[in-house]
Amino acid sequence: MPDFLRELNKRQLVFDGATGTMLQRLGLKPGGCPDELCLKDPGLVKKVHTAYVEAGSDIVTTNTFGANRAKLKEYSLEGALRDINVAAARCAREAIGEKRFVAGGLGPTGRFVEPVGDMPFEEALAIFSEQAQALKEGGADLIIIETMMDIKEMKAAIMGAKSTGLPVVATMTFDETMRTVLGTPPESFAVMAAALGADCIGANCSLGIEGIHKAVLAMSKVVSIPLIAQPNAGLPMLKGTETVFPASPEEMSAFVPKLVEAGVRVLGGCCGTTPEHIRMMGDAFRGLASAGKRSVGFTALASRTSYTLFGGTLPAIVIGERINPTGRKAFAAEIKDGKTTGIRNEARGQEAAGAHALDVNVGVPGIDEVASMRRAVFAVNENSILPAVIDSSSPEAVLAGLRAVDGRPLVNSISGEEKKLDTILPLAKEYGAAVLGLALDDVGIPDTAEGRVKVVEKMLERVLKAGMRREDLVIDCLAMTVSAAPLSAMETLKAIRMVKENLGLSTVLGVSNISFGLPAREIINSNFLTMAIAAGLDAAIINPNNKAMMDAYHASLVLLNRDVRAERYIKRHQALTESAPAVSKEAAAACAPAGIGERLKQAIINGDEENIVSLVEEALKEGWEPLKISNEALVPGLEEVGRLFASNRYYLPQVMLSADTMKKAFGRLKVEMKGRRGPALGKVLLATVEGDIHDIGKNIVATLLENHGFEVLDLGKNVPADRIVEEAEKNKVDIVGLSALMTTTVLEMDTVIKRLKDKGIKALTIVGGAVVTQEFSDKIGADQYGGDALSAIEKMKRMVRENA
């Protein structure tokens, strides 16, 4: 049997196309569990596999997109998980023979991982490991992860798939903004997935071939591994009573050369693509020369919503050092008490000051550092877009941080000490982290640059032996106290140059140690920072709120021609000038303590779950009525969150955090009102239509509606039209909101709307979901198209006002 990775290295490979739409064409009715077909009607599934093989597919995907424990539970089939996955892999093998590859398919669980959702990372990892092992048992040659929206869930899926020892292909789904529904850009996903050891990554679903091209092109800028493209056949449209995908095989095959130029080595299709699409695209694909192997000469870190590149010829970056209790009694006491207010404030403040990554250290004696690290990383993830640096001497705390973090972090630190290498390197490898290496070993810190470089060479050897890459190691050449060792600064600078030039590694430095014991320390620190950047420093661990240090940093980039046309320098100068107070009266007002109303509003905007209840208590003690608290502080805060979301300054995780904060505030107000209810804006019925068991989007809308003052009746998923009509009439709702995620179920919305009208129910209707468009909404006669969650809320507010 051929080997997938060997074949991938030799030539371009062709995947199959859509499975769901093909099964529907062959007679599959909506509803029921499609993954169970491999047990109930394997012949139908084999027809799909055979059709794609005849069209030229090198790889077919098992019919197991929803065959994980969380999804199968919806059908009470979790006990059949192994049987379904094993049968699916064997079914595919029987259809295609031994000369082609079976890809075991993993899809989302339908839940978000903490802290965005309620699923612990460990549970997600167990779910994907279980399914992947069953697919391997059935004979899968590789695992493909498809249509992921949550970067944390993708991390669990890749790790679960890797546990099988099989090759792993991973794809996420993006919208027209080039982000997932939770705000992840292609680059962040690519950085994390490549570091976790995925063998091929890319994009699938949601977009046509032009959109998928944009996504994989963005990935090609930050990783060197092979890319896969699996576009839809255009965006779905409604023709009569049928959902169709408009892109023809000819149109899609004409775009294939651009995919190859972007680095695509594996090509397939998603929704709406047929064997004919695959035949024509595959013919065009195989006839083109590969773009060749790309190389990456920098270190990459990523958060859920952004990424940071440094090293090589790129400009140096700033790692904010302020999330650290050393020498800060109040901050240490807060960490000890399990509070995160200071951490959240520091995360936001350092990002605003220009940091590119945030060091997270919770090393307070006598605490549960594992729990504290988890809380701290969650707080940083929720309050900043910047990648995290997990800073701890405890392997257990490092592990907690690696499990909690979104994206790809840097672990601070390892060294040439055997104990550090033996404990931290395996964790970094497993969780896809970069590692910060201190140039010291069991003997201590070498006095000379040459001695430190020898230690670095040992670390590099061990990093490569562990299966990590050269760019995964970032070296700290160590700044010693110059007042005690006058030659140490020059040795550090020399070591930085040697590590960069001789070993090609990225470098980092905690700058402030250099001035310990001297007066006016920031003068020494800022000048040393300039010298270190000139010597080749790639990342400086400093306080980004220190103006002298940031002035030196930005000036250095200009003088070393690392700031093209001095754009960063000019932008920062303009920002500093514009933020300066114009008159003393304004300055005094800015310094005045905010009133309780403003603090409540900011707590909602910042998602301050920790302090919102105490702020509500404070407002009540000041004599504020519950409705005043809601209408003049809480609701304006949530409205501002909506504006931030609309301007792409906030993403869905931040919106959900603000909504949860609002929920806690309302919980306290309900107690004060002793069961009394304020007037609801309106009553909304929500349901995912029959045949569709996807409800993440609907659940988000339900949460936001409640926090905007609506009364919500959520009927759940897979809801028959008759029940929706019955409940809408019985409860006299103002709005019926319908959701569908699949092209095979979206027409059920049309059925529901017609029955509501036939019954004479005057409720307005709004529709949404991944496959729903404005055009579709207009065709089926819905009153509004929902769009994204916050747009849907604003539209429903307007609907009830105009219909009052």
Side-chain angles (χ1 to χ4, degrees):
M1 177 180 289
D3 177 86
F4 172 74
L5 292 181
R6 189 180 303 120
E7 288 297 307
L8 178 60
N9 190 51
K10 284 179 4 185
R11 62 187 176 96
Q12 288 129 309
L13 296 173
V14 178
F15 249 93
D16 52 6
T19 297
T21 47
M22 281 291 291
L23 287 170
Q24 188 182 17
R25 285 185 180 193
L26 293 171
L28 177 66
K29 302 297 182 186
C33 176
D35 309 277
E36 196 183 15
L37 279 175
C38 297
L39 295 176
K40 286 190 168 182
D41 191 357
L44 188 65
V45 180
K46 286 180 185 178
K47 284 182 182 178
V48 176
H49 294 324
T50 301
Y52 282 119
V53 168
E54 290 173 351
S57 293
D58 300 299
I59 313 157
V60 300
T61 307
T62 57
N63 182 41
T64 52
F65 183 75
N68 60 67
R69 182 164 296 276
K71 283 288 189 180
L72 291 176
K73 192 173 182 180
E74 304 288 346
Y75 302 100
S76 299
L77 286 172
E78 64 270 32
L81 183 146
R82 177 190 167 277
D83 292 343
I84 289 172
N85 283 279
V86 168
R90 289 176 179 168
C91 179
R93 175 66 64 209
E94 290 168 8
I96 70 170
E98 298 294 329
K99 294 183 179 180
R100 292 177 174 83
F101 301 106
V102 171
L106 305 183
T109 61
R111 295 165 63 189
F112 291 137
V113 180
E114 292 177 329
V116 178
D118 63 353
M119 180 182 283
F121 178 80
E122 295 81 359
E123 181 182 348
L125 179 56
I127 284 173
F128 290 117
S129 298
E130 178 185 37
Q131 187 185 0
Q133 290 291 347
L135 288 165
K136 180 182 181 180
E137 183 183 345
D141 301 301
L142 63 143
I143 302 293
I144 181 167
I145 304 158
E146 298 181 290
T147 325
M148 288 286 178
M149 297 177 285
D150 179 355
I151 196 171
K152 187 79 74 68
E153 186 177 37
M154 174 58 90
K155 178 164 80 169
I158 293 174
M159 290 177 65
K162 290 288 289 182
S163 72
T164 64
L166 296 176
V168 176
V169 177
T171 62
M172 288 197 87
T173 183
F174 305 90
D175 60 26
E176 292 85 350
T177 68
M178 280 300 110
R179 289 185 181 268
T180 70
V181 70
L182 293 183
T184 300
E187 296 93 336
S188 288
F189 155 62
V191 165
M192 183 198 74
L196 282 167
D199 299 289
C200 179
I201 63 170
N204 80 305
C205 205
S206 293
L207 298 169
I209 198 162
E210 291 188 31
I212 293 293
H213 170 255
K214 288 180 184 177
V216 294
L217 184 62
M219 295 179 201
S220 73
K221 309 294 185 185
V222 296
V223 296
S224 59
I225 63 174
L227 300 175
I228 177 174
Q230 291 185 305
N232 285 348
L235 298 177
M237 302 167 56
L238 186 66
K239 266 194 177 179
T241 59
E242 185 183 1
T243 303
V244 298
F245 287 82
S248 69
E250 291 82 4
E251 290 169 334
M252 293 185 73
S253 60
F255 206 88
V256 167
K258 289 190 176 182
L259 294 175
V260 174
E261 287 175 16
V264 169
R265 288 189 60 81
V266 184
L267 180 64
C270 204
C271 301
T273 54
T274 65
E276 190 56 29
H277 285 89
I278 297 302
R279 185 189 311 279
M280 294 193 68
M281 290 167 65
D283 288 345
F285 189 50
R286 292 188 186 93
L288 296 167
S290 169
K293 187 170 177 61
R294 305 176 312 282
S295 62
V296 172
F298 49 74
T299 299
L301 306 178
S303 69
R304 178 181 293 277
T305 55
S306 74
Y307 60 99
T308 294
L309 310 177
F310 63 99
T313 60
L314 295 172
I317 67 164
V318 169
I319 298 175
E321 68 180 3
R322 295 287 295 166
I323 303 176
N324 191 318
T326 303
R328 303 170 67 191
K329 289 184 179 179
F331 196 70
E334 183 180 270
I335 291 173
K336 195 169 186 177
D337 290 340
K339 306 289 187 182
T340 60
T341 301
I343 293 170
R344 289 186 283 107
N345 290 339
E346 288 288 5
R348 289 193 296 269
Q350 291 183 102
E351 179 185 324
H356 305 96
L358 299 176
D359 191 80
V360 183
N361 184 310
V362 292
V364 178
I367 67 166
D368 180 349
E369 192 176 351
V370 170
S372 293
M373 179 62 79
R374 182 174 182 271
R375 275 193 300 270
V377 170
F378 279 175
V380 169
N381 287 166
E382 292 169 339
N383 288 274
S384 171
I385 67 169
L386 302 181
V389 179
I390 299 168
D391 185 355
S392 175
S393 59
S394 162
E396 293 78 16
V398 169
L399 176 58
L402 289 170
R403 287 175 171 169
V405 75
D406 294 340
R408 190 203 189 200
L410 174 66
V411 171
N412 183 6
S413 56
I414 63 167
S415 65
E417 298 167 289
E418 287 298 325
K419 184 177 179 182
K420 285 287 187 77
L421 292 170
D422 289 341
T423 56
I424 300 300
L425 274 186
L427 292 177
K429 166 62 177 171
E430 183 180 5
Y431 284 85
V435 289
L436 187 156
L438 304 174
L440 60 88
D441 58 15
D442 293 295
V443 177
I445 302 173
D447 293 329
T448 65
E450 290 80 4
R452 294 179 200 180
V453 170
K454 283 185 179 180
V455 173
V456 173
E457 289 172 341
K458 173 186 174 182
M459 277 190 283
L460 177 58
E461 182 182 346
R462 291 289 294 273
V463 164
L464 297 176
K465 189 176 180 181
M468 299 172 70
R469 306 162 301 181
R470 182 176 292 267
E471 60 264 29
D472 296 335
L473 179 60
V474 184
I475 295 300
D476 186 337
C477 292
L478 299 170
M480 309 300 291
T481 303
V482 74
S483 60
L487 296 178
S488 65
M490 299 309 295
E491 288 299 322
T492 297
L493 296 176
K494 183 179 179 183
I496 290 172
R497 283 190 290 269
M498 291 177 70
V499 168
K500 283 283 288 184
E501 295 169 8
N502 299 348
L503 300 179
L505 298 176
S506 301
T507 58
V508 64
L509 197 65
V511 176
S512 61
N513 288 344
I514 199 74
S515 63
F516 188 78
L518 292 173
R521 293 183 62 187
E522 71 175 23
I523 296 175
I524 298 289
N525 293 344
S526 58
N527 280 279
F528 182 61
L529 173 62
T530 299
M531 295 170 72
I533 293 175
L537 184 67
D538 296 306
I541 303 175
I542 61 175
N543 177 4
N545 296 304
N546 185 300
K547 185 175 181 299
M549 295 298 284
M550 294 302 284
D551 284 346
Y553 164 74
H554 282 281
S556 298
L557 296 188
V558 173
L559 295 171
L560 293 166
N561 195 31
R562 295 293 179 89
D563 182 358
V564 179
R565 294 180 294 277
E567 290 176 357
R568 293 188 185 188
Y569 181 85
I570 293 168
K571 184 178 180 181
R572 178 172 183 267
H573 177 73
Q574 289 173 336
L576 290 173
T577 303
E578 290 167 4
S579 65
V583 295
S584 59
K585 184 183 290 185
E586 291 179 5
C591 293
I596 186 60
E598 181 61 26
R599 283 187 286 141
L600 279 164
K601 178 182 174 181
Q602 286 300 319
I604 296 299
I605 293 170
N606 295 332
D608 189 358
E609 291 184 283
E610 197 171 278
N611 295 304
I612 189 65
V613 172
S614 63
L615 288 171
V616 170
E617 297 275 7
E618 186 178 336
L620 291 169
K621 287 178 182 176
E622 288 189 17
W624 284 48
E625 291 293 323
L627 283 180
K628 180 181 179 181
I629 293 172
S630 173
N631 296 336
E632 295 185 21
L634 303 180
V635 171
L638 207 56
E639 288 173 344
E640 177 60 19
V641 170
R643 285 188 284 272
L644 290 168
F645 179 81
S647 63
N648 292 322
R649 292 165 62 194
Y650 265 25
Y651 299 103
L652 196 54
Q654 292 153 300
V655 172
M656 296 300 292
L657 181 62
S658 291
D660 288 341
T661 304
M662 189 83 157
K663 191 173 184 179
K664 286 191 173 182
F666 278 163
R668 176 62 186 89
L669 291 179
K670 285 178 183 177
V671 173
E672 192 66 24
M673 295 171 73
K674 297 181 174 65
R676 291 180 290 125
R677 295 176 64 93
L681 288 182
K683 188 183 291 188
V684 181
L685 180 151
L686 295 177
T688 299
V689 296
E690 187 171 19
D692 202 318
I693 62 164
H694 301 87
D695 65 349
I696 284 182
K698 174 187 65 64
N699 293 345
I700 291 169
V701 170
T703 298
L704 295 176
L705 279 171
E706 289 173 343
N707 291 320
H708 277 83
F710 284 89
E711 183 180 345
V712 179
L713 175 63
D714 188 349
L715 299 186
K717 51 199 167 190
N718 193 22
V719 185
D722 289 343
R723 185 172 175 227
I724 295 172
V725 173
E726 177 187 337
E727 294 290 344
E729 183 177 35
K730 182 173 73 175
N731 291 281
K732 296 181 171 54
V733 299
D734 301 294
I735 299 172
V736 172
L738 303 174
S739 173
L741 193 68
M742 301 188 298
T743 57
T744 53
T745 59
V746 70
L747 280 172
E748 188 65 16
M749 290 178 167
D750 186 35
T751 302
V752 173
I753 289 173
K754 285 177 179 174
R755 292 193 187 178
L756 287 168
K757 290 177 179 177
D758 290 345
K759 195 81 171 176
I761 295 172
K762 299 188 182 299
L764 299 172
T765 54
I766 183 168
V767 295
V771 296
V772 180
T773 63
Q774 181 69 61
E775 181 184 9
F776 178 81
S777 173
D778 294 340
K779 281 196 174 185
I780 64 174
D783 294 296
Q784 282 287 351
Y785 163 61
D788 63 67
L790 281 175
S791 296
I793 305 304
E794 292 306 313
K795 289 174 181 177
M796 283 189 256
K797 284 182 178 179
R798 190 165 62 247
M799 289 164 74
V800 294
R801 280 198 305 267
E802 293 173 354
N803 203 43

